[in-house]
Each structure stands twice: as C-alpha cells, then as structure tokens.
Amino acid sequence: MISIYVQILLIILFWNADSHIIPRIEECGLSCSQGIHCKSKPSGGIFNSFCRDAPASLSSMVLRSMKISTVMKCAHGSPCSLYLNIKGTLSLDENIRGLEICSLSLDTQQSQCTNVRFTRKKSKMLNGKKVQVQFNCVEVNVAQHIYVTMKTVPNYCEVKLSQEYYVEAGKFDYNVDRARKLITVNVSNFPRERDYYVRLCYKWFTCEDAGAFAVIKGKESFKSVSLKYSQLLPCLCIEGWLAIPDARRIQLCPFANGKYYTKTLWDNIVYNPSTQTLAWEPACPVLVMVNLCRFTKLNHDCEDIENSSKNSTEKVKYSRVDTHPRLCMK
C-alpha cells in the first residue's frame, strides 16, 4: 500500500464577463480633457526623433499613465475594423507644445506617427494642470504585436512613455462539468467575420493535444463550445486562436496548482516484482521531492528512509526495493 499526502493551495482565475466586449466607436478621433482644444496631423517622426535636454524646471513625470486598449468601428455594409485606443496624461507646461504618438508594428516593422498640438493660449492659462489625451485612429489587425511611444514636442530626453501591446485575439472563460467530464468554453473579444479555434492540451515544453479542436464560427451568435476531457490534470490547459495564419495563441491553465487535480499525478506509481523497481512517472511536468518512508501504526507518521530523497520533474525510480506492507512513497 502506498500512501500519498499532497496539500497544495488551489487558485483558479475567473474572468469578469463584463470586460469581454470590445467597445464600439462611431468614428475615430482625438480628444483632450480640461476643455482644451487640440488637433492632430500625421507626422513623419523624423523631426522629433532626436531628444534635447529638458529644462531644469521640467519634471520627468510631466508625462505619465499611458494606457492602451482595443476598440472596434463597424461601418454599415463593411467589415468591422480594429483600432488602438491610446490614452495618456500630460501636465501642461510652457515648455511643451504638444505630443507625438507613434506606433510600430513589431510584425511588419511599419510605423506611423501623429502630432498632437494644443491651443497655446488656453494651455498657458492652465499651466501645471493635468490633461488627458485620447487618440484612437491607429488601425490594427487581430493578434498584431504593437510598440507604442508617446513623447513631448519638443522631444525632451527622459520624458517618454512606451509600451508593447498585443491586439486582442479573443478572451475566454470556462465552466467544468465533472459529472460529464466536460469543459464548456465561452469565447469573446474576437471579430465577427473570423472563426475561432479552441482546444484542450497538456502543457509540457509545448502544449500537446488532449483531443480534437473545436471551431466557433464568427457569424454565429453563440460563442461557446464543450470539450471532453479524461482527467483534470495540473497541466491541462485551454488554448484558443483565430483562424488566420500564424495567429497568436492564448492559454488558460486553471488547474495548475489545484490539490484536487494533483492527486491524480500519483496514479502512475508502478512496482515491478521481477526487477524489484518502484517507479513513478508524472503525467505533467511538476517539480516534486519524493521520499521512501516507513509507516508507523503507533503515531501514524511515515519516517523517511535515509538517502531515498529525490528531486525531479520527470520519472523517479528506485531499484532493489523489497516489498513490505509499511513501505510508502511520499
């Protein structure tokens, strides 16, 4: 008899369903808070490429809090388009005439820049006040990898914000039906005209198939599929991707640290009487410390056998093991 005691904290991440809808816009554009009139025009980015030393009175924190999200514009009779929604906060200063917002596609190396200018008279009156700038006219593709920068005009050294951003390619939440061994996956945040693939997989160095993938048709209103599983193992993941070439895949591995799911890892303990070997090979890549021990009826403890401790992420094997009813592995 082999007794195993495993206690691991279970943490499962649930997505908030309200955050799964890509906001719609009627038209893209530029807006500034504090009642400041601002206008934009395309910029080659060359004139503002080289930075200069900032005046002593200018704080490096004058520009901060850049946030990026995805919005969608759907024209009647045409496919929907995705745009970056870029927000930044600037403290107005007499040394700053505006902002330059640039985006670089890390997939194609194509870039585009926009110059944002404030009405000089109004901005001087509000010197020191914070103004939020919002620009959402950078058209992007699904699953695109973008590098966004925001700089002052003139371009002062050390006064710059930058951020990498993946254009949303689907989000999902899930529900587990243990009685029927089904995981129902609900997918959102992907364009209607695209299909979406979902599968279960076992995550090792790559995520290996745990069954056939399912297809959610972009034109269908019901964005849900049910996938059959055999065991809820710690390395069982949900993976989804858009039906486009080289699509970026997203993964959710909700059972990774669950005590209810790690118990099944010990099912693969095998004793071979002909070779006197006791072996255990985990079904998932987990780092464990394994010991042989002797179970004592007196205090129900298992006393470690000297020099039997092994740390491993793969197969653990003990040779020349004599069978004994009190021999345990822990």
Side-chain angles (χ1 to χ4, degrees):
M1 176 180 177
I2 300 173
S3 302
I4 308 300
Y5 301 94
V6 181
Q7 293 184 343
I8 301 180
L9 177 66
L10 170 64
I11 301 173
I12 300 180
L13 174 66
F14 291 96
W15 293 90
N16 182 348
D18 294 337
S19 66
H20 286 175
I21 300 173
I22 298 180
R24 301 292 183 93
I25 58 173
E26 295 295 327
E27 294 293 336
C28 72
L30 171 72
S31 63
C32 295
S33 64
Q34 298 284 3
I36 293 179
H37 177 70
C38 53
K39 57 184 179 179
S40 64
K41 65 177 182 179
S43 167
I46 299 176
F47 82 97
N48 206 42
S49 296
F50 303 100
C51 70
R52 65 179 74 174
D53 291 335
S57 60
L58 188 67
S59 169
S60 60
M61 299 297 292
V62 70
L63 184 61
R64 56 183 176 178
S65 302
M66 182 171 67
K67 296 181 180 178
I68 307 172
S69 60
T70 307
V71 293
M72 183 183 294
K73 185 176 77 170
C74 300
H76 183 68
S78 302
C80 296
S81 300
L82 295 179
Y83 292 84
L84 291 185
N85 185 41
I86 305 168
K87 293 181 180 179
T89 302
L90 172 71
S91 296
L92 293 175
D93 189 278
E94 61 182 357
N95 296 295
I96 296 175
R97 300 195 300 271
L99 293 175
E100 184 183 65
I101 301 171
C102 295
S103 63
L104 169 68
S105 171
L106 297 178
D107 305 306
T108 64
Q109 296 302 306
Q110 291 183 331
S111 64
Q112 62 182 94
C113 294
T114 298
N115 195 286
V116 178
R117 293 297 179 108
F118 308 115
T119 302
R120 194 165 182 81
K121 183 177 179 181
K122 182 74 173 179
S123 61
K124 277 188 175 182
M125 293 172 58
L126 296 173
N127 193 35
K129 297 290 184 179
K130 294 177 182 177
V131 57
Q132 186 177 79
V133 178
Q134 178 174 323
F135 182 68
N136 56 16
C137 283
V138 180
E139 188 170 358
V140 290
N141 296 319
V142 173
Q144 195 171 359
H145 190 187
I146 305 291
Y147 182 71
V148 178
T149 59
M150 186 178 287
K151 297 181 286 189
T152 59
V153 177
N155 181 8
Y156 292 117
C157 302
E158 308 301 328
V159 184
K160 174 183 175 181
L161 296 176
S162 60
Q163 184 178 332
E164 289 188 34
Y165 181 77
Y166 281 100
V167 180
E168 295 177 55
K171 289 183 179 179
F172 41 73
D173 54 19
Y174 68 95
N175 182 62
V176 180
D177 185 340
R178 290 182 176 84
R180 296 192 296 163
K181 289 193 171 184
L182 286 176
I183 297 177
T184 301
V185 183
N186 303 303
V187 184
S188 57
N189 261 18
F190 70 97
R192 292 179 181 176
E193 67 272 11
R194 301 284 189 181
D195 293 343
Y196 199 84
Y197 296 137
V198 183
R199 70 166 183 161
L200 297 179
C201 56
Y202 296 117
K203 190 169 185 178
W204 289 79
F205 295 107
T206 60
C207 216
E208 301 173 0
D209 283 331
F213 64 83
V215 182
I216 297 177
K217 295 294 183 181
K219 295 181 180 180
E220 293 177 356
S221 58
F222 194 62
K223 312 294 187 184
S224 178
V225 292
S226 293
L227 302 170
K228 192 82 174 175
Y229 68 86
S230 58
Q231 286 182 307
L232 289 180
L233 294 169
C235 56
L236 182 64
C237 300
I238 305 165
E239 187 175 71
W241 68 99
L242 278 165
I244 59 174
D246 301 320
R248 178 174 173 257
R249 301 190 179 198
I250 59 173
Q251 289 180 354
L252 179 63
C253 304
F255 317 111
N257 295 315
K259 65 180 179 181
Y260 302 109
Y261 313 116
T262 52
K263 288 181 179 179
T264 56
L265 292 177
W266 296 100
D267 292 344
N268 293 335
I269 297 178
V270 177
Y271 179 72
N272 188 329
S274 62
T275 59
Q276 291 186 299
T277 56
L278 181 65
W280 170 62
E281 187 170 8
C284 287
V286 288
L287 177 60
V288 294
M289 184 173 71
V290 180
N291 272 87
L292 294 181
C293 59
R294 295 184 185 90
F295 188 74
T296 60
K297 289 184 178 180
L298 183 63
N299 53 11
H300 300 286
D301 285 338
C302 202
E303 297 178 352
D304 291 346
I305 296 176
E306 190 176 355
N307 299 324
S308 68
S309 178
K310 293 186 179 184
N311 291 322
S312 179
T313 57
E314 299 179 350
K315 189 172 184 177
V316 176
K317 185 177 180 181
Y318 292 97
S319 302
R320 301 174 66 182
V321 177
D322 292 328
T323 58
H324 194 283
R326 294 186 182 179
L327 178 66
C328 302
M329 182 187 287
K330 71 175 181 180

